[in-house]
Amino acid sequence: MTDDSRTGPPRSGGERETLRAFLDYHRATLAMKCEGLDDEQLRQRSMPPSTLSLLGLVRHMAEVERAWFRRVFEDHEAPMVWSDRIDFQAAYDASASTRAEAFGAWEAEVEHSRRIERQADSLDLTGLQPRWGQDVSLRMVMVHVLLEYGRHNGHADFLREGVDGTVGA
């Protein structure tokens, strides 16, 4: 991997700025774990029969961003990127995917999510979570997506070590 160019979250500050910074930090972490790898390396699976790969994680996080920002606050019927139904597992199979395809979709969803968050008057903005049939706040969505990145970046550590052939890097 290249040098760590991520901007860390603030040591103090308001709730919104802190949530925004932590989300961007974790988004940058996923991108950093994929730096310098070609399509084949990005598609390398953790271990059979799992389809989990770094590219699959990028695709999955595009689905997460879409499901939790776009579908909640703008278009409850927006189709998922890689499945006809709400199937987050479908994104993990990146066997025929490329960096350009996966990162293009993920980066577009991240920018869409950032726009939604920045245009909201407050973290108290609510939208309908269509899978639950209940309203959720922007605050809850940001925390949930942050937790998704935290969990999946742990997987990305493991996957990157497998590609690099290192342990504890």
Side-chain angles (χ1 to χ4, degrees):
M1 285 183 295
T2 60
D3 293 329
D4 187 348
S5 61
R6 297 171 297 168
T7 300
R11 302 287 187 251
S12 63
E15 179 183 21
R16 191 169 191 163
E17 302 81 37
T18 301
L19 285 172
R20 181 185 296 153
F22 264 105
L23 256 175
D24 282 341
Y25 180 80
H26 276 282
R27 289 166 173 152
T29 298
L30 181 58
M32 184 180 78
K33 294 295 178 181
C34 298
E35 283 180 4
L37 301 178
D38 62 27
D39 286 355
E40 183 178 328
Q41 291 169 314
L42 288 167
R43 285 191 297 264
Q44 187 173 318
R45 294 177 176 186
S46 59
M47 76 176 46
S50 174
T51 59
L52 187 61
S53 67
L54 285 166
L55 208 54
L57 285 178
V58 171
R59 288 166 45 110
H60 175 73
M61 291 312 298
E63 298 284 40
V64 168
E65 294 269 0
R66 178 174 285 205
W68 283 97
F69 283 95
R70 187 186 301 245
R71 287 178 51 89
V72 168
F73 296 108
E74 288 188 343
D75 181 1
H76 308 310
E77 300 299 321
M80 299 304 282
V81 183
W82 286 284
S83 77
D84 297 348
R85 57 192 197 292
I86 309 300
D87 178 8
F88 289 94
Q89 299 301 313
Y92 285 134
D93 184 3
S95 57
S97 188
T98 64
R99 170 188 281 277
E101 174 203 37
F103 274 85
W106 176 62
E107 289 166 353
E109 290 304 321
V110 166
E111 286 309 311
H112 203 96
S113 298
R114 285 179 177 142
R115 182 186 55 73
I116 289 169
E117 182 270 321
R118 290 189 194 292
Q119 288 178 349
D121 290 334
S122 84
L123 293 175
D124 294 324
L125 172 73
T126 60
L128 177 70
Q129 208 311 333
R131 291 178 67 202
W132 297 349
Q134 296 178 346
D135 285 343
V136 295
S137 69
L138 177 58
R139 177 183 293 103
M140 185 270 171
V141 167
M142 291 179 77
V143 169
H144 179 82
V145 173
L146 177 59
L147 292 171
E148 286 276 338
Y149 274 103
R151 179 175 58 171
H152 293 303
N153 281 337
H155 299 319
D157 285 337
F158 172 75
L159 289 163
R160 181 63 193 235
E161 288 171 4
V163 170
D164 290 341
T166 61
V167 177

